[in-house]
Amino acid sequence: MQAAIEEAQKARAAGDYAVGAVIVKDGKIIVRAVNRAKQDNDPTQHAEVVAIRDASKIFNSRHLDGCILYTTHEPCPMCASATVWAKMAGVVFGVRIEDMHEFKLKNGNEEWQWRTIKVPASVILKNGDPQIPLVENFMREECKKLFHS
């Protein structure tokens, strides 16, 4: 998770939302990714999707068997679904969607809206095929420090 936090800091320094993700296989980081939605003017360029796309290219496969996604923020429905389509071995995240929503209410503005869809990743991962194991709130307090406006 520390590597994902470092990626989130890079995203913030580049002018994007401070969200970072890494994909690990056999205890080794395979891919590091930053949120690129603002940089690329592409709403699908969440750090998790960027990481999955990059890992799929590395493995030349749409299935990422044995790979675990670590992400600083709870995956949105799009990102959680992408882990199911990729048949990942697991997801580990830091801050919760509720944390993002609370922050948005206090600090959101026109430039930094912190939009959320209040569907927990656990709902998607439990209902997916395959069902993806999930670890929630990992290093949550450290990941909360990434919020900015």
Side-chain angles (χ1 to χ4, degrees):
M1 184 62 78
Q2 187 58 49
I5 291 170
E6 291 167 10
E7 294 305 306
Q9 292 165 338
K10 290 178 189 175
R12 178 172 44 205
D16 220 308
Y17 289 97
V19 182
V22 298
I23 293 181
V24 174
K25 184 169 183 172
D26 299 327
K28 295 179 184 164
I29 295 174
I30 305 301
V31 168
R32 295 171 174 260
V34 299
N35 203 72
R36 299 190 53 85
K38 282 180 153 280
Q39 295 173 66
D40 295 350
N41 286 317
D42 181 344
T44 68
Q45 289 286 66
H46 292 192
E48 300 90 343
V49 169
V50 172
I52 290 168
R53 286 176 179 155
D54 289 351
S56 292
K57 288 176 187 170
I58 288 169
F59 293 113
N60 195 32
S61 176
R62 63 191 172 115
H63 298 146
L64 300 177
D65 300 318
C67 291
I68 299 173
L69 173 71
Y70 288 80
T71 179
T72 57
H73 291 57
E74 181 172 357
C76 73
M78 173 184 70
C79 295
S81 296
T83 67
V84 174
W85 309 142
K87 296 186 177 184
M88 297 192 77
V91 174
V92 178
F93 74 78
V95 297
R96 305 178 64 78
I97 288 174
E98 292 86 7
D99 297 329
M100 290 179 272
H101 184 70
E102 287 175 22
F103 185 82
K104 172 186 124 171
L105 291 176
K106 294 177 185 173
N107 302 290
N109 57 49
E110 283 301 310
E111 184 180 0
W112 301 100
Q113 296 180 7
W114 290 95
R115 289 176 306 279
T116 58
I117 298 174
K118 291 193 207 176
V119 177
S122 61
V123 170
I124 292 167
L125 299 182
K126 284 180 191 172
N127 288 292
D129 181 17
Q131 291 183 350
I132 308 294
L134 179 65
V135 175
E136 303 176 69
N137 307 313
F138 187 74
M139 295 180 66
R140 182 177 177 204
E141 292 306 314
E142 293 88 336
C143 291
K144 274 185 173 183
K145 293 175 185 173
L146 296 166
F147 290 150
H148 66 293
S149 62

